[in-house]
Structure formats: structure tokens, C-alpha cells
Amino acid sequence: MVEGWRNGLREATNSKPLFVTIYATVIIGVLVSSFYVFSAIYSPTNGSTSWLSSPPLSTAGRIRQPPQENATFQTPVVPLPPRSLPLPSPEEAEGKSLGKIWVSPPRDKKMPPLESFKLTKELFGERVKDNVIIVTFGNYAFMDFILTWVKHLTDLDISNLLVGAMDTKLLEALYWKGVPVFDMGSHMSTVDVGWGSPTFHKMGREKVILIDSVLPFGYELLMCDTDMVWLKNPLPYLARYPEADVLTSSDQVVPTVVDDSLDIWQQVGAAYNIGIFHWRPTEPAKKLAKEWKEMLLADDKVWDQNGFNEIVRKQLGPSVDGDSGLFYAYDGNLKVGILPASIFCSGHTYFVQAMYQQLRLEPYALHTTFQYAGTEGKRHRLREGMVFFDPPEYYDAPGGFISFKPSIPKSLLLDGKHTIESHFTLVNHQMKQIRSALAIASLLNRTLVMPPIWCRLDRLWFGHPGTLVGSMTRQPFICPLDHVFEVNIMLKELPEDEFGPGIGIREYSFLDNPSLPKQVKESWLDVQLCQEGKEGCEATNITTPSGFLKFPKRSSEDTFKAIFSSFNDVKVIKFSSGREERFRRRVKRYVGIWCCEENKTPGHIYYDMYWDEKPGWKPVPPQTPEEDHPPV
């Protein structure tokens, strides 16, 4: 929910040696083993897109074990059963009586007038199936999220969907891709509006106006934010609760049930999250929608989700019956159910806790809440989970890729208590190696596949003891990249004259993605960094009989360029180990904060890419307002 809540390569050197020594050595690190931990905790808590291809169900959030002694460091996984659903044919994508999806209109056909895309009962009725319609909306800035959302649904053989376009550019683009679309009449900007902005709040009001407008049509409405994806058909699940007026997701992070039943409403202390919720066209639901809309239109400072929670929580209880999990709310007549957070997942229960896996359940949905880098961070999270659909060029970047396996001593992961100090010791050790890899990527003009990052402590937006009490977060765990790095800064175009050339990055799961083309998978060079002077360790472009290249760690920039220019046609260079001033300025901006130490104001602590150059550096919050800024 962070949106919801508001949201060693020592670059040294004086001349031309590659500014850093590559700290990462060949790792003997993680046993390819994974296991499920079952923990039942009951604790209340205060276009036509031909490039679209289907990966298996996400393996991000899968249970991963830390590297064990005397093991080979690989990415351990406990994947869900793989699915590989190709883009459906027009015939498969067509519902019983619904129009086809992903079939572009003939290019010689003139686009219908905007008037024909207006929100009407007839337009919605063309997409309804079993009296249910699934809807999301957005502006052109979220085009790729919307295509991903639609693609997941059509992969699940669901076609009773519609997309609301908040600007004409999106409406036209979706129409020509064969995606069912209607005009929200919003005339919104086509750019990313940013959380908390006036335009962001306008988008929230548009959602409420839409719900209030559609319910009188008599259709059931499954309303979705664009930053979520469907992993399993939710309609049979929702049909299990025909008495419910509203079924809503929540920001609950402590499990209240260990199966797929509705969350126990008395134990849900977190906010109800309106990114995923289902409305039936009942009189109590219509009354709620009308009052909610009037509240927001009367005060433009009220955030739509807060308004929803305020109204619904006017009355909570009693239970509708003893078994369903439904309860009365709002005016005492509205029947509400809270979708289980373990399988209608937030960014925390999916990416941090992997709650669904620990409970051996199949997730229905993933919503990219609880993250820290805006829209770019959300996109990266979905890419980490291998559930975001990118065009082919994303998987075959100019210049190729480099990857590396970090060397992480077992003691840094498992020894001692999980404290702020042990967390920063672990993360900083990895950060030095990532710094090295970024330097090499910059030097060779290649895109860096980021490694998975191990953390001991969770990141939140308030003081906490390391993990949320009652949650299923295991320590250590692989944390999302935005827990440590400012993903939005890493992907931002910065002036080259001040920050040097840009450095492309990819998510840690990139090389495992089924969308990776054959020409990339089969074009690979393994590099083992060695100590200069040792037998067989010399700067050469001749590989060993076993097929890898040995290369001295402390080589100059010129040597790096000279040797690796021989491998320009190789797509992936993998290092089995771990322009000076402008590079430093760039990567200093890449790291974020850890948040937050309890009972401290401020309680956040800045990560420092060059912490090892500051004698006595310690992970402590800023002591004065003047110190409260990113490292210099």
C-alpha cells in the first residue's frame, strides 16, 4: 500500500585502471533447496499485440533459502506449477456472445466517432457475461500496465472486460489493438500523474463516479486498478459468496485464515484496499456508492480509499452468519466480505512474505502495493515476478547483458540476531559487488542484470522491529529491488555530461523469463575473475577448454575494453565474482533508505553506495535536520 499510505569495486584509482577491484569471487553459495514453512498465525493488527507472450505463473515471492556453506550459489526456487499459455487465437478469445479481443480493426477502416465509446448500459452489455463485467481504467501513461492486465485475463479465457480510457490517446491506441474500451470523458493528461497529486485524486474520484454510474445498469462489477494482474480466474471464487454486496481486498499483512476462505473480519485491522473489489448491483451497494461519491465531490482533499474506509466502517458487524465470513457494515444492511490477503495479494504478502506459498495456496491476484519507487517501481516488481509483458526488444538490448553471482558469506546471512547493524552489513557487502558490476556494465556499454538482494529486515514507512509482528516474513529474505535502490532514479535519463553514460538494468529474474529469446539464451560467455600472477590468469580473449574466460581482477579500463570488444556479438557475459567521477555521481543517486528505526524521529537511515570509503561509518538515522539528506 505504500501508494495507499503515501506512499566493491572501489572506484579508486588515479589513472585509468578500472576504477574498482571486483570484490565478488566465484561463490560457493546457495544450496538449490527450498522448503515450505507453514505458520498459522491468528493476530489482529492495528497489440493486436503479437509481442504478448505468457510466462508461467509468477515465481517472484517464491520461497528462497539463504546460501548455505559449501553449496553452489544459484537462485533457489519453489515454483508454482508452470503454465505456458500462448496468446489466444481470435476464436479462443471470443466469449459466448462477446466481441473478439486482440483482433485489430482493418487499417482501412475509419475509427468510429468518440460518441460511440460513451459509457452506456448498451456498451457495457456487449461485454457482460453471466451478468459480470471486469473493469479497469487509466491514462496513456499506463498503457503497458493495461495491456498486461488484459493479457492475463484473456490467458485465463476471460473476455467480459472493459477498459476505461481517461484520454483520447489511450482510447485510440486500445481500439487499434482490439482491446474493448470506453471513454471515461475525463480529458486527462497522458503522462504519469504521480501519487498524491491533484490529478491522482481526480483519478480516484473518476473510479467512484464510474461505480456509481455502472451499478444502476444491473451488472456485477469487478473493479480493478491497473497496477494489478490476475493470476487465476477469480469469478468462481466471487460466485461462492452470492449474498455479498461488496467483496474487497485489504492491506492486511497478518494472516487470519490458513485456507482460501474470506479473512476473519474481526481480525482485519488494516485498511480495506479499493484496488480490487467486487460490487453487486444491490440497493445497499448503490446507496454506498452514491454516498461515497458525494463525499469525495464535496471535499477534494479526501483520498478515495480513506473515504471508502470511513463510510464502510461506520458500522462493523455483526456477522451475516456463522460460516460465510460475511458481515454487516456501513448502515447495517450492507453485506461485506474481505478477500483473503494470502491469495488476493498485496505487494507485501506476495513479494516479501510469499504468504500464499507458505500456506500452499494458489494466488488469484497480485497488486503492487507496499512499494517505494512510484510507477517505475511497480513495473519493476511485476517484472521481478515475471508477470509483466514487455516487447521483444526488452529481452535483447543493444550491446547485450552482463550478470554476476554475488559472493555472500553464510555468516552475514544467518549468524547473530537480525538487527539494523547486521542488516546493513549484509546489504552493504552486496552493494559493493553491485557497484563493481555497474562499473563494468558502464565500461562495456552493456545492460546489467541485477542480482537478487538478500535482506535481514523489512522496509516499511514507519518504525518497526525489523518485521511486522504476526506476519509470515522470514529472515533473511530476497527483498524487492526498491527496498534498497531508487528504481525510478536508476531508470531515469540523467544528463550524460554530469552523470556519465546511462546504465541499463534488468530484474534479477530476467534470465529465467520464458520470454527470453533463443538467440540470447544461447549466446553466453562465462568469465572467472582471477588473481593476476597466478597460473593461467592473464588478459586474453582465449577461453579455456571448458569454455570460460579467465580474466585478472585488477585490469585497467583499456584492457577491459580491448579484451571484451572481441565478444561484442555475445549477448550475455556472466562474471563469477563479484568514468570515475561522473560514474560516482550517478550511482550515488541509485540507493535509497531503510525505514524505520522505532521511536526515532527521523528514523530512516540512508544507504550509501560508498560507505566503505568513510571510516567509522555506521547505520544511524540523521542526527540533525542538516544531516537529513542522501549521502554526498
Side-chain angles (χ1 to χ4, degrees):
M1 176 183 84
V2 158
E3 248 188 306
W5 287 81
R6 202 29 211 130
N7 315 281
L9 190 52
R10 181 183 288 276
E11 285 77 15
T13 97
N14 300 322
S15 58
K16 268 236 153 175
L18 176 62
F19 15 99
V20 154
T21 301
I22 305 200
Y23 284 96
T25 54
V26 178
I27 175 142
I28 301 182
V30 172
L31 180 65
V32 183
S33 68
S34 306
F35 57 85
Y36 290 104
V37 172
F38 181 88
S39 174
I41 307 165
Y42 294 85
S43 171
T45 62
N46 266 356
S48 144
T49 47
S50 61
W51 52 265
L52 292 173
S53 58
S54 287
L57 274 177
S58 171
T59 52
R62 53 200 168 189
I63 307 305
R64 298 172 180 268
Q65 292 303 316
Q68 305 294 316
E69 217 164 16
N70 300 322
T72 302
F73 184 53
Q74 296 181 2
T75 305
V77 299
V78 179
L80 291 170
R83 310 162 44 240
S84 182
L85 300 176
L87 184 66
S89 68
E91 292 73 21
E92 293 170 331
E94 185 178 13
K96 289 184 178 179
S97 61
L98 306 184
K100 299 173 182 178
I101 299 178
W102 301 121
V103 178
S104 299
R107 281 292 167 174
D108 58 355
K109 178 183 176 182
K110 186 176 180 181
M111 182 173 174
L114 289 181
E115 185 75 13
S116 62
F117 294 94
K118 285 182 63 175
L119 189 160
T120 63
K121 182 176 181 179
E122 291 71 28
L123 186 146
F124 268 64
E126 292 174 1
R127 302 303 320 173
V128 166
K129 183 178 180 181
D130 298 327
N131 208 48
V132 178
I133 186 76
I134 309 172
V135 175
T136 192
F137 68 98
N139 66 352
Y140 187 79
F142 288 86
M143 174 80 166
D144 53 352
F145 283 90
I146 290 168
L147 292 176
T148 294
W149 183 86
V150 174
K151 180 60 170 58
H152 276 280
L153 285 172
T154 55
D155 278 354
L156 295 167
D157 295 322
I158 298 172
S159 53
N160 49 322
L161 61 91
L162 262 174
V163 177
M166 303 188 77
D167 60 70
T168 304
K169 186 176 181 181
L170 175 65
L171 189 149
E172 293 178 349
L174 292 179
Y175 170 79
W176 289 113
K177 287 185 179 294
V179 173
V181 61
F182 68 97
D183 184 8
M184 296 278 287
S186 306
H187 307 294
M188 179 173 272
S189 167
T190 60
V191 300
D192 188 355
V193 298
W195 192 96
S197 67
T199 309
F200 172 84
H201 288 294
K202 173 179 168 59
M203 290 183 74
R205 280 151 180 74
E206 294 283 352
K207 176 191 291 185
V208 183
I209 294 170
L210 177 60
I211 293 169
D212 182 61
S213 299
V214 172
L215 288 181
F217 296 165
Y219 306 134
E220 295 182 28
L221 175 64
L222 178 52
M223 193 74 216
C224 315
D225 283 355
T226 57
D227 62 340
M228 62 80 57
V229 295
W230 291 105
L231 305 174
K232 185 178 179 180
N233 185 350
L235 299 180
Y237 185 95
L238 302 175
R240 285 163 51 179
Y241 303 97
E243 297 301 312
D245 298 304
V246 175
L247 294 167
T248 180
S249 59
S250 79
D251 291 319
Q252 182 74 5
V253 294
V254 175
T256 70
V257 294
V258 296
D259 55 18
D260 67 348
S261 57
L262 294 175
D263 266 332
I264 300 172
W265 65 269
Q266 297 95 330
Q267 297 184 26
V268 176
Y272 305 150
N273 190 293
I274 62 174
I276 306 171
F277 59 167
H278 179 254
W279 295 68
R280 287 194 170 89
T282 62
E283 291 308 312
K286 294 176 187 176
K287 180 182 176 183
L288 169 64
K290 185 174 185 296
E291 183 176 340
W292 184 23
K293 180 187 75 171
E294 290 173 349
M295 168 195 272
L296 296 180
L297 294 180
D299 186 351
D300 60 7
K301 295 182 177 61
V302 177
W303 178 37
D304 56 345
Q305 181 164 291
N306 286 351
F308 178 81
N309 277 268
E310 180 182 330
I311 293 176
V312 172
R313 292 172 183 270
K314 285 181 178 179
Q315 176 181 329
L316 292 181
S319 295
V320 172
D321 53 51
D323 301 317
S324 69
L326 300 177
F327 61 100
Y328 290 102
Y330 175 44
D331 59 357
N333 295 310
L334 185 80
K335 298 173 185 176
V336 179
I338 303 174
L339 299 168
S342 58
I343 50 180
F344 290 84
C345 306
S346 69
H348 198 279
T349 60
Y350 192 90
F351 287 107
V352 177
Q353 297 187 55
M355 190 187 290
Y356 72 91
Q357 282 211 329
Q358 297 200 61
L359 296 177
R360 295 179 180 267
L361 301 170
E362 286 189 72
Y364 281 88
L366 163 58
H367 189 191
T368 54
T369 54
F370 287 86
Q371 64 83 223
Y372 305 89
T375 303
E376 293 288 4
K378 290 175 178 289
R379 189 178 284 110
H380 194 85
R381 284 277 188 104
L382 294 175
R383 285 169 171 165
E384 287 182 333
M386 296 193 292
V387 294
F388 196 79
F389 296 108
D390 283 293
E393 55 267 26
Y394 181 80
Y395 299 97
D396 194 0
F401 306 94
I402 70 166
S403 71
F404 76 106
K405 293 183 177 180
S407 169
I408 309 175
K410 172 177 171 286
S411 60
L412 293 186
L413 283 153
L414 302 176
D415 290 0
K417 295 181 178 180
H418 297 291
T419 64
I420 291 173
E421 289 73 20
S422 63
H423 168 78
F424 270 83
T425 299
L426 170 62
V427 173
N428 284 348
H429 179 83
Q430 297 168 88
M431 194 180 296
K432 286 174 63 176
Q433 299 175 64
I434 292 171
R435 193 176 74 196
S436 303
L438 286 165
I440 296 172
S442 178
L443 186 66
L444 300 182
N445 195 29
R446 286 179 174 263
T447 295
L448 175 63
V449 178
M450 296 293 290
I453 299 175
W454 288 91
C455 292
R456 281 179 174 253
L457 302 185
D458 196 357
R459 176 179 176 178
L460 296 155
W461 56 96
F462 51 83
H464 62 95
T467 60
L468 289 169
V469 176
S471 72
M472 299 182 73
T473 305
R474 308 192 315 164
Q475 296 169 278
F477 65 99
I478 289 180
C479 52
L481 186 63
D482 58 75
H483 273 213
V484 176
F485 285 86
E486 298 284 359
V487 178
N488 51 324
I489 299 298
M490 299 180 82
L491 297 175
K492 183 179 180 180
E493 288 190 21
L494 300 173
E496 189 168 332
D497 57 350
E498 183 179 359
F499 298 102
I503 307 170
I505 64 165
R506 293 292 187 268
E507 63 279 5
Y508 70 81
S509 56
F510 177 77
L511 296 175
D512 295 324
N513 197 306
S515 296
L516 198 70
K518 182 179 180 182
Q519 70 265 23
V520 175
K521 292 178 182 177
E522 297 180 354
S523 181
W524 195 281
L525 174 68
D526 282 304
V527 179
Q528 291 187 0
L529 295 171
C530 53
Q531 193 65 44
E532 190 172 13
K534 288 192 174 182
E535 184 178 356
C537 184
E538 57 187 37
T540 176
N541 59 5
I542 301 174
T543 58
T544 67
S546 53
F548 62 85
L549 181 74
K550 283 190 173 184
F551 191 77
K553 293 180 182 179
R554 300 177 180 271
S555 298
S556 69
E557 293 182 28
D558 289 340
T559 301
F560 256 87
K561 290 178 178 178
I563 297 300
F564 287 99
S565 64
S566 304
F567 300 101
N568 284 341
D569 57 338
V570 174
K571 298 292 186 180
V572 183
I573 296 179
K574 183 176 181 179
F575 286 84
S576 298
S577 72
R579 297 167 182 124
E580 177 77 12
E581 200 54 44
R582 291 186 298 166
F583 173 82
R584 291 172 68 95
R585 280 199 291 265
R586 173 177 287 276
V587 299
K588 278 180 181 179
R589 297 166 60 96
Y590 281 5
V591 290
I593 62 169
W594 176 81
C595 192
C596 289
E597 190 170 357
E598 291 186 287
N599 305 315
K600 292 284 182 67
T601 304
H604 56 262
I605 302 171
Y606 289 94
Y607 289 106
D608 189 340
M609 187 71 88
Y610 290 92
W611 63 273
D612 53 321
E613 296 183 1
K614 299 173 181 177
W617 184 94
K618 292 183 178 179
V620 294
Q623 302 299 298
T624 66
E626 291 72 28
E627 293 178 5
D628 191 3
H629 58 76
V632 294

